[in-house]
Amino acid sequence: MYKVGWLDSHAHICGKEFKDDLDKVIQNAKDNGLVKIMIICSDLSEVEKALELATNDEMFDVAVGLHPNDQKFLTDKDWDLFYEYAHNEKIIAIGEIGLDYHWHKDNVEKQKELFIKQIKLAKNLNKPIIVHSRDAMKDTYDILKEHKCKGVMHCYSGSYEMAKEFTKLGYYISLAGPVTFKNAAKPKEVALKVDINKLLIETDCPYLTPVPFRGKRNEPMYVKHIGKYISELRNIEENELKEHICENYNILFKKF
Ligand code: NI
């Protein structure tokens, strides 16, 4: 059985932004009722630290993936190291992986190639994927439809209609800080209407800090402000949301 509480399904806590005070950040998370943090390693140099944390404390899970924004800078050696990590049983998901046409429009085909290669590996390993999609919703959808896998649309920013289509493919929808931003109409609509059995929450820290801490460095403890906001929006008890989020997380990542 698993613990029920707030959880952060996407946190980059082994990055350089946390190198000076990670212990404090972890303690803050525990003090604020978090029961789980999925550590996302987009930089391969972060993996050893993440594995050490996960080995010593069951609060942590680890995911590793080659991010589309790094596609241009990756070498064969990076792929080999990623491939080795992907097989590690302590690494329970592949991500974040995907497409980013906001920052990089000139290497679309290469991004797709890297994305598909990692989806195929995840399928072989029977591990879910954590998907990054920025200004690339249609291509992301087409690839996920063709290459059947399971996973989560992280920091989802698309429409409710598209969210429904992703859930039909077997994907969960994870909402981050922007749902609390005043003018973010789309995430609010998604938060209100998406099937609660397909919903996850995350900070994507160190960025995208939710209200009322917008502008500060983000950290896992702030996920509770995202959860509280969604509970109020849906007019349900916070505990009911926690139960759903923890169940969803465990179905996706532990019983894939
Ligand atoms: Ni991220």
Side-chain angles (χ1 to χ4, degrees), residues 10-12 40 42 67 96 130 132 154-155 202 204-205 207:
H10 193 113
H12 297 267
I40 309 292
S42 293
H67 196 287
E96 56 192 274
I130 296 166
H132 172 104
H154 121 77
C155 197
E202 61 171 81
D204 199 18
C205 62
Y207 307 113

Side-chain angles (χ1 to χ4, degrees), residues 227-240:
K228 279 181 180 177
Y229 187 90
I230 296 174
S231 311
E232 281 169 25
L233 207 61
R234 294 185 76 119
N235 197 21
I236 57 172
E237 295 292 329
E238 281 176 30
N239 270 338
E240 190 184 340

Side-chain angles (χ1 to χ4, degrees), residues 7-241:
L7 67 77
D8 186 351
S9 74
H10 193 113
H12 297 267
I13 56 169
C14 290
K16 57 183 183 313
E17 292 85 355
F18 295 104
K19 74 170 174 19
D20 295 329
D21 64 348
L22 183 56
D23 291 347
K24 175 84 173 33
V25 164
I26 291 168
Q27 195 54 50
N28 290 344
K30 293 186 183 212
D31 293 347
N32 281 274
L34 269 74
V35 292
K36 180 66 74 183
I37 297 173
M38 173 69 85
I39 306 173
I40 309 292
C41 303
S42 293
D43 192 318
L44 294 170
S45 68
E46 297 168 9
V47 180
E48 290 304 326
K49 178 71 190 167
L51 287 173
E52 184 194 317
L53 288 171
T55 302
N56 294 320
D57 189 338
E58 62 181 19
M59 183 185 197
F60 302 104
D61 287 327
V62 185
V64 61
L66 299 175
H67 196 287
N69 287 348
D70 297 327
Q71 185 278 326
K72 290 176 191 173
F73 317 107
L74 295 172
T75 63
D76 289 346
K77 241 174 103 183
D78 292 323
W79 174 265
D80 293 344
L81 183 57
F82 160 70
Y83 186 88
E84 193 185 317
Y85 280 138
H87 284 76
N88 186 318
E89 63 176 24
K90 279 253 166 238
I91 288 169
I92 65 165
I94 302 302
E96 56 192 274
I97 61 174
L99 304 173
D100 194 318
Y101 300 169
H102 179 80
W103 293 111
H104 300 278
K105 263 188 252 173
D106 56 337
N107 65 339
V108 165
E109 289 311 311
K110 291 269 183 209
Q111 286 190 44
K112 287 184 185 173
E113 206 177 284
L114 180 64
F115 185 25
I116 293 167
K117 205 170 155 189
Q118 292 182 95
I119 295 173
K120 287 180 173 168
L121 177 60
K123 277 169 71 172
N124 279 338
L125 296 168
N126 202 23
K127 293 182 184 184
I129 58 173
I130 296 166
V131 180
H132 172 104
S133 178
R134 190 152 182 211
D135 296 345
M137 212 51 93
K138 168 96 176 53
D139 284 359
T140 305
Y141 178 79
D142 290 345
I143 286 174
L144 295 180
K145 192 170 184 191
E146 187 185 342
H147 302 273
K148 297 197 178 3
C149 196
K150 277 187 186 161
V152 53
M153 299 298 299
H154 121 77
C155 197
Y156 183 74
S157 59
S159 67
Y160 168 63
E161 284 68 31
M162 277 308 293
K164 262 195 306 194
E165 296 305 314
F166 283 114
T167 60
K168 279 184 208 160
L169 294 181
Y171 286 82
Y172 288 74
I173 302 294
S174 184
L175 294 172
V179 73
T180 66
F181 297 174
K182 203 167 163 231
N183 295 322
K186 278 200 283 183
K188 289 187 207 299
E189 191 189 357
V190 173
L192 186 63
K193 293 184 182 168
V194 75
D195 180 357
I196 202 161
N197 297 310
K198 294 290 176 189
L199 181 64
L200 287 171
I201 55 175
E202 61 171 81
T203 58
D204 199 18
C205 62
Y207 307 113
L208 294 171
T209 315
V211 172
F213 298 102
R214 198 175 174 184
K216 283 183 65 175
R217 181 189 68 174
N218 201 0
E219 60 176 280
M221 70 167 164
Y222 294 141
V223 82
K224 72 175 185 184
H225 296 284
I226 299 166
K228 279 181 180 177
Y229 187 90
I230 296 174
S231 311
E232 281 169 25
L233 207 61
R234 294 185 76 119
N235 197 21
I236 57 172
E237 295 292 329
E238 281 176 30
N239 270 338
E240 190 184 340
L241 185 68

